[in-house]
Amino acid sequence: MSKLITGVLPALITPMDEHGNILVDSAKPLIDWYEKEKADGLYMLGWTGEGMYLSVQQRKTWAEAVLKANNNRMPIFVHVGYNGNLDDSVELARHAQEHGAYAVASVGISPSSTLGENVAYFKRISEAAPKTPFYIYWTSNGEMLTGGERVDPEELLEAMKAVPTFKGIKFTDNNFYILERFKKYNPDINILTGADNLVICSDIMGADGNIGALQAITCYDFKVLLEKMKEGNYKEAREIQYRTNEIAEAYSVRNLGTIPGIKIVMERVYSIPAGYCSPASPYLPKVTDEALIESYLKVYRDNIIKR
């Protein structure tokens, strides 16, 4: 199918107004900024993009805006999972392919769904977008794909042969032994990790790249980190990981949160309208504590690589 995607792929926010209307005009400045930050691609409408709290139409609207603004500048992954109605995922996959997505991705159906049920579901998504690579979303040692049962990497890879467009894994886990086993049994599987605070570890264990919320506002930092790893300059690579982790800790505090924190940086530091979080989400719609915001922004400015 296509080559392995490598490097840093920030998870893209979904800008909205207070009513949940998509701020489509933010697509171009976001794409322009990530191109400047040397992003190797973007992953949209997953957890960071609040996909599970958006309607099918909201997701289509934002996907269309981003893919049009991107104009094939970088690979865009569109997450199509998170749907109680499985037909929605199929529709979203078809829509993503029609508008030029590089890949589509999905979580499993539910925590109780068996591996066989999930493979059948993934096959439906694949058939709806037959020219588009498909990625599964791996968490919790794979138990979210197998009804709570542990699954051997070789067994999962064998089962996924039924999905013709299966290309890779968004590996949001910190058990990098499993990552290495996947690579052993299929060196061509594209593994992009979602363990933002452990990128340096996943790189050592053979990940091809990383996708994450933290990378949404530290993309260039992680590009430099990976360059330092290639040079064998592990000391400087560690220092960058530690600095980005300071930012992750700062936005994780009570009354702030990861997604509101990312949107604050986009608006206050880079002047890109990010708006509110979805009214259907559990996140603060808009952070109003100015002292908290300023404290957080100081941590951010003190720890990012100055360009």
Side-chain angles (χ1 to χ4, degrees), residues 154-278:
E154 190 174 18
E155 178 187 357
L156 180 67
L157 291 171
E158 182 64 31
M160 288 299 295
K161 287 180 179 178
V163 181
T165 57
F166 175 53
K167 173 68 175 179
I169 303 171
K170 183 184 186 298
F171 190 87
T172 302
D173 201 337
N174 57 14
N175 187 339
F176 298 129
Y177 166 73
I178 295 175
L179 184 158
E180 181 269 329
R181 294 289 93 182
F182 273 123
K183 280 294 190 180
K184 172 188 175 181
Y185 292 116
N186 184 356
D188 295 326
I189 196 77
N190 197 187
I191 298 186
L192 302 167
T193 60
D196 307 359
N197 306 329
L198 297 168
V199 166
I200 193 169
C201 305
S202 65
D203 184 70
I204 289 172
M205 289 301 287
D208 298 304
N210 51 87
I211 294 168
L214 181 56
Q215 290 87 328
I217 49 175
T218 58
C219 177
Y220 182 71
D221 300 69
F222 279 106
K223 290 288 292 185
V224 176
L225 182 153
L226 293 179
E227 289 171 6
K228 297 298 181 184
M229 292 293 289
K230 286 179 183 177
E231 295 167 2
N233 190 339
Y234 304 124
K235 180 177 183 295
E236 288 192 28
R238 280 196 303 272
E239 289 172 353
I240 296 169
Q241 181 74 76
Y242 295 162
R243 289 205 305 273
T244 59
N245 287 354
E246 291 293 321
I247 296 166
E249 183 177 66
Y251 65 41
S252 298
V253 300
R254 187 184 300 275
N255 297 326
L256 186 52
T258 303
I259 298 170
I262 294 169
K263 292 189 173 187
I264 287 168
V265 166
M266 284 300 176
E267 290 203 329
R268 300 286 187 101
V269 180
Y270 302 110
S271 301
I272 299 174
Y276 294 71
C277 291
S278 169

Side-chain angles (χ1 to χ4, degrees), residues 41-76:
L42 293 171
Y43 190 100
M44 67 180 301
L45 292 167
W47 180 78
T48 306
E50 303 176 74
M52 70 180 73
Y53 305 112
L54 303 179
S55 69
V56 169
Q57 187 53 56
Q58 284 173 308
R59 294 168 74 175
K60 284 183 175 182
T61 297
W62 186 228
E64 286 182 34
V66 169
L67 293 166
K68 181 179 179 181
N70 182 55
N71 194 25
N72 296 315
R73 284 187 270 178
M74 64 185 79
I76 304 289

Side-chain angles (χ1 to χ4, degrees), residues 21-206:
N21 298 308
I22 306 299
L23 302 179
V24 293
D25 289 344
S26 292
K28 187 178 185 304
L30 278 167
I31 294 292
D32 290 346
W33 185 72
Y34 281 119
E35 185 175 44
K36 179 183 175 183
E37 293 293 293
K38 302 185 183 300
D40 296 292
L42 293 171
Y43 190 100
M44 67 180 301
L45 292 167
W47 180 78
T48 306
E50 303 176 74
M52 70 180 73
Y53 305 112
L54 303 179
S55 69
V56 169
Q57 187 53 56
Q58 284 173 308
R59 294 168 74 175
K60 284 183 175 182
T61 297
W62 186 228
E64 286 182 34
V66 169
L67 293 166
K68 181 179 179 181
N70 182 55
N71 194 25
N72 296 315
R73 284 187 270 178
M74 64 185 79
I76 304 289
F77 288 61
V78 179
H79 190 95
V80 300
Y82 298 142
N83 303 289
N85 181 352
L86 304 187
D87 292 340
D88 290 347
S89 300
V90 173
E91 181 181 347
L92 287 164
R94 184 179 297 112
H95 177 269
Q97 177 172 282
E98 289 173 355
H99 289 274
Y102 168 80
V104 294
S106 182
V107 293
I109 299 169
S110 73
S112 61
S113 300
T114 66
L115 179 59
E117 290 168 337
N118 281 317
V119 169
Y121 165 55
F122 296 151
K123 188 170 184 289
R124 287 187 63 201
I125 293 174
S126 175
E127 290 169 346
K131 299 178 181 179
T132 304
F134 175 71
Y135 286 65
I136 59 173
Y137 202 118
W138 170 283
T139 62
S140 307
N141 290 310
E143 293 176 16
M144 294 294 288
L145 298 171
T146 59
E149 300 293 325
R150 293 292 292 270
V151 60
D152 181 82
E154 190 174 18
E155 178 187 357
L156 180 67
L157 291 171
E158 182 64 31
M160 288 299 295
K161 287 180 179 178
V163 181
T165 57
F166 175 53
K167 173 68 175 179
I169 303 171
K170 183 184 186 298
F171 190 87
T172 302
D173 201 337
N174 57 14
N175 187 339
F176 298 129
Y177 166 73
I178 295 175
L179 184 158
E180 181 269 329
R181 294 289 93 182
F182 273 123
K183 280 294 190 180
K184 172 188 175 181
Y185 292 116
N186 184 356
D188 295 326
I189 196 77
N190 197 187
I191 298 186
L192 302 167
T193 60
D196 307 359
N197 306 329
L198 297 168
V199 166
I200 193 169
C201 305
S202 65
D203 184 70
I204 289 172
M205 289 301 287

